[in-house]
Amino acid sequence: MNSRILALAAAGALMLIGTAFAQGQPATLVVPQTGEPKTLSPNMASDSHAFGPGSNVYSHLVALDWGIVKGTTAYGDLAESWTTSADGKAVTFKLHKNVKFHDGKPVTAHDVKFTYDTIIRKKYPSFVVLKNVREIAVADDHTVVLHLTDPETGFVPMLAQVSTWTAKIYPKHLWEGQDGFEGGPHLNAPIGSGPFKFVRWEKGGVVELEANPDYFRGRPKLDRLIYRPMADINVARAEFDAGRLHYLPYDYAPPLAEVPALKRNQNIKVVFTPSHFSRDIQLNLARPPLDKREVRLAIAHAIDREAMNKLAFNGLWTPAIHASVESQGEWINRSAKFPEHDKAKAEKLLDEAGLPRKADGWRFAVTVTPPNFVDCKAMMEVLVQQLRQVGINAKLEQFDQATWFRRQFEKNFDISCYFTRYGPDPDAFREHFATGGGRNFQSFSNKELDEIAAKASVSRDRAERKKAYDRIQEIVVSELPYINLFNEQKTTLLRAGWDGFNIEESGFDKSLTWFGFYAVKPPGR
């Protein structure tokens, strides 16, 4: 069956969903995605289109979801509870005892050890959190101990964070014959222990999952999940408007000028979800002239957040002037602020940096590379114009999501729209700004920051940590390896009658990652 027939079949099923639940028909949710997964083995690579299926097929040791904006930094998934030793160097996890993989085999501490040992050995993406793990010991089938080289105050919250994307627990009995998670019969036919079971993946078409009737928390209310590639946001919006989609995720956020009219429609729920991420730009310090602080300072002065907000977001986002976002509360250093908009000062700084306007009016050229997100693209279109106003010949360069991710990790960009995160523990600053940090794509290095961040990561004194992170924010605001622009806000459209999505409070602390649909309740369920 080819992908077009599958897509038509899925669309046909969608047309029945609105009325079928009461007649005993399967409750199906179709999740549009801007692209197709590369594989269905999420632990081995940063593949944004595999996060959704992977987060519903596999379980995690600990998890978090959008409940983090209400203060929940981590909660147990396979872990029923955990304790940290007095010296902070050992974290003991007690596992739920009634969990089974989809093939009926029990989930044990041996599966957790095998998974994490493989991630560490292969240096897969979640190694960024697990690199401090010295040894993993199995005390019994339902107790696993992670011994750390150094104490790490934010270890469990950061493990929960990374588990949103990777660090899924794989069945040892099915994978131990493979060299890592990059091949074998279950690469694209995953068997996990999560709330949904894999059914099929038609390359170029849909990924289909079905409810796991033996899930230890109880069977999901949804019967089926279908992930459908839909690159064109206009097509996705047309499908939603026609009633053939019941969920339009924030990747397809509508122009915010339409929000007032959408809110008046009783058949639609408009959901705004705050975040502990920012929307910002990263500057590649390995590329001249961005390696000069005065050039980065000039770029900061060239940016008019208010104008950008009006043009990109209809004035509905919150401009960010600190090296954090509002959800971080007490951890924000409100005295450390990014430079304010001042076009004349930007021009003067560029002149003083030896970059005068040439005969053609341009000082130098840069490319601006946003990911394939609606908000980033809207912001960067405005940024390009603002940079051009001070003589920087900025050009927008667009790639598909997978290519953009690869180029980020290769540090193959000039200026990129990015999403810095500041939680669930402020130790997240190390990942973005410490020398060699896993998301330090800017090639930024500051000895003082490295030393402060390393000490703060092991401290249990809250006041001491606050002082350290205040200083870190002063450093990044001064050195400008990135420039924060906005508090991120997710805009999602839902059909009335549907409830429990991960972006709604009714789905907080039970969705099992930002991509989980376990808590979703269709109409009549």
Side-chain angles (χ1 to χ4, degrees), residues 235-258:
V235 171
R237 177 62 186 277
E239 292 283 281
F240 181 83
D241 289 344
R244 292 188 291 271
L245 287 177
H246 300 87
Y247 164 67
L248 198 63
Y250 43 78
D251 293 343
Y252 302 90
L256 293 179
E258 298 180 18

Side-chain angles (χ1 to χ4, degrees), residues 14 17 21 27-32 56 64-70 75 196 221-227 240 244-250 267-274 490-525:
L14 280 168
I17 289 170
F21 301 150
T28 300
L29 178 69
V30 174
V31 180
N56 289 280
L64 61 74
D65 55 38
W66 288 113
I68 187 174
V69 301
K70 293 292 184 179
Y75 59 90
F196 293 89
K221 301 296 183 183
L222 285 171
D223 296 308
R224 291 196 304 163
L225 270 176
I226 291 179
Y227 290 87
F240 181 83
R244 292 188 291 271
L245 287 177
H246 300 87
Y247 164 67
L248 198 63
Y250 43 78
N267 295 317
I268 294 174
K269 289 196 293 183
V270 181
V271 180
F272 291 130
T273 310
K490 303 292 190 184
T491 305
T492 306
L493 301 184
L494 304 174
R495 284 283 156 197
W498 289 76
D499 188 49
F501 284 84
N502 44 46
I503 42 79
E504 298 183 282
E505 287 200 32
S506 56
F508 287 179
D509 303 337
K510 57 179 78 78
S511 292
L512 303 168
T513 80
W514 290 329
F515 302 95
F517 292 100
Y518 175 63
V520 171
K521 295 182 180 179
R525 289 295 175 96

Side-chain angles (χ1 to χ4, degrees), residues 14 24 57 130 134 137 175 186 249 261 323 366 388 461 513:
L14 280 168
V57 168
L130 294 171
R134 174 176 56 81
W175 282 91
H186 300 289
V366 296
R388 292 171 74 88
D461 184 319
T513 80

Side-chain angles (χ1 to χ4, degrees), residues 172-225:
K172 178 182 178 181
H173 64 281
L174 295 178
W175 282 91
E176 60 184 337
Q178 304 295 326
D179 180 24
F181 300 139
E182 301 161 42
H186 300 289
L187 180 74
N188 294 325
I191 291 178
S193 57
F196 293 89
K197 301 168 64 174
F198 174 76
V199 176
R200 64 188 173 101
W201 177 19
E202 296 290 339
K203 291 294 185 70
V206 301
V207 176
E208 181 181 349
L209 311 180
E210 65 181 3
N212 176 8
D214 301 317
Y215 186 54
F216 75 103
R217 286 187 174 85
R219 187 187 188 281
K221 301 296 183 183
L222 285 171
D223 296 308
R224 291 196 304 163
L225 270 176

Side-chain angles (χ1 to χ4, degrees), residues 124-378:
Y124 288 138
S126 46
F127 174 70
V128 69
V129 171
L130 294 171
K131 63 184 178 182
N132 189 28
V133 175
R134 174 176 56 81
E135 181 186 8
I136 301 174
V138 172
D140 58 52
D141 279 354
H142 299 99
T143 307
V144 61
V145 185
L146 274 60
H147 294 279
L148 309 181
T149 301
D150 299 300
E152 189 173 340
T153 303
F155 177 74
V156 173
M158 297 303 286
L159 179 59
Q161 168 82 85
V162 79
S163 297
T164 283
W165 306 294
T166 61
K168 317 298 184 184
I169 304 303
Y170 284 29
K172 178 182 178 181
H173 64 281
L174 295 178
W175 282 91
E176 60 184 337
Q178 304 295 326
D179 180 24
F181 300 139
E182 301 161 42
H186 300 289
L187 180 74
N188 294 325
I191 291 178
S193 57
F196 293 89
K197 301 168 64 174
F198 174 76
V199 176
R200 64 188 173 101
W201 177 19
E202 296 290 339
K203 291 294 185 70
V206 301
V207 176
E208 181 181 349
L209 311 180
E210 65 181 3
N212 176 8
D214 301 317
Y215 186 54
F216 75 103
R217 286 187 174 85
R219 187 187 188 281
K221 301 296 183 183
L222 285 171
D223 296 308
R224 291 196 304 163
L225 270 176
I226 291 179
Y227 290 87
R228 179 180 167 194
M230 201 175 294
D232 191 322
I233 61 173
N234 296 312
V235 171
R237 177 62 186 277
E239 292 283 281
F240 181 83
D241 289 344
R244 292 188 291 271
L245 287 177
H246 300 87
Y247 164 67
L248 198 63
Y250 43 78
D251 293 343
Y252 302 90
L256 293 179
E258 298 180 18
V259 166
L262 288 167
K263 283 188 169 182
R264 291 193 293 269
N265 187 333
Q266 295 184 350
N267 295 317
I268 294 174
K269 289 196 293 183
V270 181
V271 180
F272 291 130
T273 310
S275 173
H276 67 295
F277 283 73
S278 63
R279 278 291 186 264
D280 49 64
I281 59 171
Q282 292 193 340
L283 307 168
N284 191 342
L285 276 59
R287 292 192 175 182
L290 300 176
D291 57 337
K292 294 184 178 181
R293 179 184 175 275
E294 56 267 45
V295 172
R296 302 194 298 275
L297 183 58
I299 289 172
H301 280 302
I303 296 171
D304 184 343
R305 290 170 178 78
E306 294 297 337
M308 187 178 289
N309 189 20
K310 182 178 180 180
L311 292 168
F313 304 127
N314 200 36
L316 292 173
W317 277 40
T318 302
I321 60 172
H322 303 104
S324 191
V325 290
E326 287 304 312
S327 66
Q328 293 308 293
E330 67 172 303
W331 295 111
I332 304 172
N333 181 353
R334 297 190 183 276
S335 297
K337 299 178 181 179
F338 284 94
E340 62 186 12
H341 173 58
D342 190 329
K343 181 174 178 291
K345 188 175 287 188
E347 298 253 22
K348 184 173 183 292
L349 283 164
L350 291 170
D351 288 340
E352 292 173 350
L355 296 164
R357 290 181 183 262
K358 303 182 183 69
D360 60 4
W362 299 120
R363 301 174 184 274
F364 62 92
V366 296
T367 56
V368 176
T369 312
N372 194 22
F373 294 160
V374 173
D375 50 28
C376 270
K377 287 190 285 187

Side-chain angles (χ1 to χ4, degrees), residues 27-84:
T28 300
L29 178 69
V30 174
V31 180
Q33 295 199 135
T34 55
E36 187 177 26
K38 289 182 287 188
T39 77
L40 294 180
S41 179
N43 280 359
M44 71 171 187
S46 292
D47 176 8
S48 60
H49 298 118
F51 297 156
S55 292
N56 289 280
V57 168
Y58 289 103
S59 296
H60 324 78
L61 186 59
V62 287
L64 61 74
D65 55 38
W66 288 113
I68 187 174
V69 301
K70 293 292 184 179
T72 304
T73 59
Y75 59 90
D77 186 358
L78 293 177
E80 187 174 48
S81 63
W82 59 88
T83 56
T84 302

